[in-house]
Amino acid sequence: MSPQSNLPATPRQVVALLDVLLRIRQDVQEKRTGPYVYIGMADAARLSTFSIGYTQCMCSLGVHEGSDVLFHDWLEILTNPQRGRAWDGRFLDECGGDHECAVRKYLDRVAEFRSLSPEALAAIPYHGQGAHPWNQRPSLLSTNPPVPTLDMLLEARQAIGDVEGRLAMIIGDIKVQRMAGLIDGYRLCLELSGTRDEEYARFEQWLHREKELPPWQTREQSLLQASHGDHEKAIRGFLENAAEFVRRSRTPFPAV
């Protein structure tokens, strides 16, 4: 079976990341505690890589967020004069380690950004390519076929190679929950664009069956238990499992 067989070839409308985050914010505001829509329980680090994974999927689909691309530049200027530190760590410090508080703070910033005037958007420094996008409307109709989640993971595996610590280029702090957030964001983007990435669901079933991962455990718990608490080893093992599954499932049967 081709890995693309369950993925649509026709253009699909993609939901912008900030719209997803505003939907999460609405759910957080309406509930006293999680699980919340799309993210489960509040975890600032996981939400950070969730956004990265979602954005990575949007880029692979060839869509453009318009003026929304200015959000993190604006957030950096607004909340981090020293620059260079991810929002989840900064907000967790400000909230005394309270993830719920940090997540709410971040989502409130999303809403604040979306209320900015055109003049305020134009004043945000832009270091990307092309014209300043302050007045650009989003182009959310996919122009590229979707990339399956397992292909994304294989690209990540190739990018990090055998170099210790290189995972940080992809997820920041090397924690299994951050890798899980990346995958969740990527998969949600595919789902909301109308893509049924059934191959990844088969991979998770294969993991529990062939690698004897208890089905009641979370993915993170299983990974850490198998690697005796070593986060980098756990993630690399997971990526090796993904590569093994792809080798087995995508290899055509020999002709009779």
Side-chain angles (χ1 to χ4, degrees), residues 156-172:
R157 175 175 173 266
Q158 182 177 12
I160 65 174
D162 297 325
V163 180
E164 185 176 353
R166 189 171 282 179
L167 263 167
M169 296 189 311
I170 299 173
I171 59 173

Side-chain angles (χ1 to χ4, degrees), residues 57-86:
C57 172
M58 292 181 67
C59 291
S60 72
L61 291 170
V63 304
H64 191 279
E65 296 180 273
S67 59
D68 281 358
V69 300
L70 295 168
F71 170 64
H72 281 99
D73 287 334
W74 170 82
L75 185 69
E76 185 86 352
I77 295 168
L78 183 69
T79 65
N80 188 23
Q82 292 79 30
R83 312 295 290 275
R85 191 180 179 201

Side-chain angles (χ1 to χ4, degrees), residues 13-27 37-38 50 54 58 65 68 107 110-111 113-114 138 140 188 192:
Q13 187 75 22
V14 181
V15 180
L17 171 62
L18 295 196
D19 288 328
V20 170
L21 295 177
L22 289 176
R23 175 64 184 90
I24 295 171
R25 179 176 182 262
Q26 179 184 354
D27 201 46
V37 64
Y38 301 144
F50 170 92
Y54 197 98
M58 292 181 67
E65 296 180 273
D68 281 358
L107 296 174
V110 174
F113 173 82
R114 273 292 185 87
L140 298 175
L188 179 65
L192 294 182

Side-chain angles (χ1 to χ4, degrees), residues 20 24 38 46-54 181-182 184-185 188:
V20 170
I24 295 171
Y38 301 144
R46 189 165 181 153
L47 181 59
S48 176
T49 49
F50 170 92
S51 298
I52 293 172
Y54 197 98
L182 182 85
D184 289 345
L188 179 65

Side-chain angles (χ1 to χ4, degrees), residues 141-189:
L141 192 66
S142 63
T143 58
N144 300 326
V147 176
T149 305
L150 286 176
D151 283 37
M152 179 273 287
L153 293 176
L154 295 185
E155 290 174 7
R157 175 175 173 266
Q158 182 177 12
I160 65 174
D162 297 325
V163 180
E164 185 176 353
R166 189 171 282 179
L167 263 167
M169 296 189 311
I170 299 173
I171 59 173
D173 292 339
I174 301 175
K175 301 291 184 183
V176 293
Q177 61 266 34
R178 293 182 69 87
M179 190 68 192
L182 182 85
I183 294 169
D184 289 345
Y186 191 93
R187 295 193 70 212
L188 179 65
C189 172

Side-chain angles (χ1 to χ4, degrees), residues 203 207 223 231-243:
F203 166 60
L207 272 180
L223 289 170
H231 285 258
E232 179 158 4
K233 182 178 179 181
I235 296 170
R236 286 182 176 274
F238 176 75
L239 295 176
E240 289 301 321
N241 286 333

